[in-house]
Amino acid sequence: MTRALRSRAVRTWASVIISAIALVSVVVWASHQETPRLPSDPGHIAELLGAVALYGVATLLRGWRWHRILTRLGAGHRAVDACALTTVGYMGNTVLPARGGEVLRTVLLAGRSDLGKGEVLGSVIAERALDAVSLAVLFVALTWAGIAGTPLGQRPALVAALGLVLLVAAAWGVLQARRRGRLRGFADRLRPLLRASRPLLSPWGASLLALSLVVWLIEGAIFWLVAQCLSLPVTPVDCLFVNVLASVSALIPAAPGYVGTFDAAVIFALKTLQVAGGQAVAFVILVRFVLFVPITVVGLAFLLTRYSAVGRFWRRSEERPWALRRRRPVPESPVS
């Protein structure tokens, strides 16, 4: 077995073990709580459906953001593919290990654009960088604001702020070194992956960061709507805190769908907000439904119809211009 395969096997087993431990802990805790009461009256069900619709809006914005990154790279793709494959990617992350959805949408878009797989993967990495910076900014702001009275005080916010500063400084230093002709060999190897990220250090990148913050605020509103349908005594800002903490938990290696780790993070955040027992269990069940079930169904539908052999059978070649288009040189990004 090669070193790469051994490393992948270790990561896979570590993810399974971490998820199993977290899931068992959540199940044991939930078994000692009162039976959760799920919404049943029309008003609360409407709020839950509103949360699902709002998540659809957030997903469309994420797809449009990826479309803008790909357009900057000269991908020659269709905007509808960027949006549809975003749902396919999220579906894949839910059912495949090691964030397999990102690989899935990379391969599928590479076959429908003028970019290679490395450049498409680089655009996905740029997306993830925007999400990571947005979460760090929100985490710092919410912690300094004293939301939920975090037991560690402001130290987590200081660490996150320092990490952001170091990240920006490192990116600036690498860019300056490359402009002076240093790190050329290293930069050449990573160019396909980093080409999409370089423009993020510009006003255009700042606009995408602002869009990313809007997306996360919308997801905070989704958590609040779920809390409202359960009549939980929490504010929209409290729910944004729960969303941010749960999303940060995605950095922990876990099984597909962040089984165990996501649920444990949500329960921990709710506990700091004085929400526990059956109400917390119901919140976890409904939030997991809103965030994972509809988008998995939609992504699977796109995969089976638009991006599979079934879909290609019904689509004539003239309706698939990417199948006939020749590869053309991709222009260099204006930000060097």
Side-chain angles (χ1 to χ4, degrees):
M1 181 182 293
T2 65
R3 181 178 300 178
L5 290 177
R6 284 198 299 269
S7 177
R8 183 178 303 175
V10 169
R11 289 197 301 270
T12 300
W13 279 107
S15 301
V16 171
I17 292 171
I18 292 172
S19 275
I21 293 174
L23 183 60
V24 169
S25 301
V26 169
V27 170
V28 170
W29 174 85
S31 66
H32 291 85
Q33 312 304 316
E34 64 266 23
T35 303
R37 298 185 303 274
L38 299 179
S40 56
D41 63 277
H44 287 163
I45 292 177
E47 288 170 335
L48 187 62
L49 293 177
V52 174
L54 207 54
Y55 192 61
V57 173
T59 304
L60 285 175
L61 289 177
R62 289 183 184 277
W64 187 83
R65 180 184 64 178
W66 192 31
H67 163 65
R68 296 304 304 160
I69 294 173
L70 291 167
T71 300
R72 185 87 172 195
L73 288 172
H77 66 295
R78 288 181 172 182
V80 66
D81 282 322
C83 293
L85 286 174
T86 296
T87 67
V88 171
Y90 275 71
M91 179 276 299
N93 288 341
T94 302
V95 301
L96 298 175
R99 300 187 73 91
E102 312 298 15
V103 177
L104 187 60
R105 65 167 166 156
T106 294
V107 172
L108 290 173
L109 188 71
R112 293 168 172 257
S113 70
D114 295 330
L115 301 180
K117 294 183 180 66
E119 292 167 312
V120 177
L121 181 58
S123 69
V124 174
I125 292 174
E127 264 200 304
R128 290 301 173 220
L130 287 168
D131 282 333
V133 173
S134 300
L135 282 173
V137 169
L138 290 173
F139 181 75
V140 170
L142 292 171
T143 304
W144 274 339
I147 301 301
T150 52
L152 297 178
Q154 295 185 350
R155 281 177 289 180
L158 293 174
V159 172
L162 179 61
L164 278 175
V165 172
L166 292 176
L167 179 63
V168 173
W172 183 85
V174 170
L175 185 61
Q176 294 302 312
R178 185 175 176 273
R179 285 175 174 173
R180 292 183 174 89
R182 302 172 183 173
L183 305 176
R184 185 174 299 277
F186 180 72
D188 288 342
R189 288 192 295 271
L190 294 182
R191 181 174 288 111
L193 293 176
L194 299 181
R195 221 164 57 83
S197 298
R198 288 201 304 268
L200 298 182
L201 300 173
S202 69
W204 175 83
S207 68
L208 288 188
L209 179 61
L211 175 63
S212 302
L213 288 169
V214 170
V215 170
W216 285 107
L217 291 175
I218 290 175
E219 293 204 2
I222 293 169
F223 276 57
W224 180 72
L225 282 174
V226 173
Q228 287 299 106
C229 81
L230 292 170
S231 301
L232 300 184
V234 292
T235 67
V237 178
D238 291 335
C239 291
L240 180 61
F241 165 76
V242 177
N243 178 36
V244 169
L245 197 60
S247 300
V248 170
S249 72
L251 300 175
I252 302 172
Y258 316 109
V259 173
T261 55
F262 174 87
D263 313 275
V266 171
I267 290 172
F268 172 79
L270 289 175
K271 187 176 180 180
T272 65
L273 297 171
Q274 310 304 315
V275 176
Q279 288 181 307
V281 176
F283 186 88
V284 170
I285 292 173
L286 292 182
V287 161
R288 179 167 279 282
F289 169 81
V290 170
L291 298 185
F292 291 93
V293 175
I295 198 168
T296 299
V297 173
V298 172
L300 182 60
F302 275 127
L303 181 64
L304 295 178
T305 57
R306 186 176 180 85
Y307 302 106
S308 72
V310 175
R312 287 194 295 270
F313 177 80
W314 294 105
R315 188 176 291 112
R316 295 177 299 175
S317 61
E318 58 267 25
E319 295 174 336
R320 294 184 285 118
W322 56 84
L324 305 176
R325 187 191 303 134
R326 292 183 178 179
R327 295 277 179 176
R328 66 175 183 270
V330 179
E332 280 292 330
S333 171
V335 179
S336 59

